[in-house]
Amino acid sequence: MNWWLKSRAVLTLAGCTVLMTLAGLAFGSTELPLPALTGGSGRFLLAGLTPVLPAVLWLNSTGRVGPHTESTAVRAVARWDTALATGLATAVLALTLVGHLLGADVIALTVGRNTIVFIGIALVLEPLAGHRSAAVLTSVVPLFCAAAGWRSGGVGAEPWALILHPGNSVPAFAASLTLLAAGAVFSFVRPFGTRASWLREATA
């Protein structure tokens, strides 16, 4: 356990996640001038970008050792990594809910939900593409949503672009929890040997 805590830099990861969450609460309502492919520009907020950082940091922390090395370990460290990701998502959600109850506007809910979305995406992509590729793909998601996630004329977001929906959107929040749960189950039960096998086969 001590080796796992040090190799994953859990304390540093947790601290950075808290700082990123607080930054999202403070500056999340800042609007970024990103163009949309539908013509015009939707209202893309910083709260749609900063929550991707905990997911990318988690991928970086858990990807320091090669998967083949860890697959021979006695303990199922990949399952500990999954628990770490879900723990981070839960902690961020709790922090943002408390912030909202203490007077923060709906942007607090947006930050919490979007963090869940990105961590859920990271949990799904990591077994398929490996840590490095998953980090790149996860980082591209907010830019892709900003460009293609708005309906024609920039009025309203597409149902799949969860990070663009208002923080108080119940369907978007339910979908984000479903994504996190599905990602956690997929990451938890996958065989060690399947890690990044899809990517290796695709590039062979």
Side-chain angles (χ1 to χ4, degrees), residues 18 36 42 57 62 66 99 106 117 119 153 160 162 180 186 192:
V18 170
L57 290 174
T62 57
V106 73
V117 170
I119 290 180
W160 56 265
L162 298 177
L180 178 65
F186 181 60
F192 286 117

Side-chain angles (χ1 to χ4, degrees), residues 162-190:
L162 298 177
I163 66 170
L164 301 181
H165 290 266
N168 56 2
S169 171
V170 175
F173 184 73
S176 68
L177 290 178
T178 301
L179 176 61
L180 178 65
V185 170
F186 181 60
S187 180
F188 189 84
V189 303
R190 53 89 185 271

Side-chain angles (χ1 to χ4, degrees), residues 81-116:
D81 293 341
T82 301
L84 175 60
T86 54
L88 290 173
T90 302
V92 170
L93 181 59
L95 183 60
T96 53
L97 287 175
V98 169
H100 183 62
L101 292 175
L102 292 178
D105 59 17
V106 73
I107 204 67
L109 301 179
T110 305
V111 171
R113 183 205 60 212
N114 289 351
T115 303
I116 291 175

Side-chain angles (χ1 to χ4, degrees), residues 48-89:
L49 184 61
T50 56
V52 76
L53 294 175
V56 173
L57 290 174
W58 172 79
L59 288 166
N60 178 69
S61 295
T62 57
R64 296 179 177 181
V65 181
H68 296 295
T69 300
E70 292 190 343
S71 66
T72 61
V74 175
R75 300 185 184 277
V77 292
R79 295 180 178 179
W80 291 355
D81 293 341
T82 301
L84 175 60
T86 54
L88 290 173

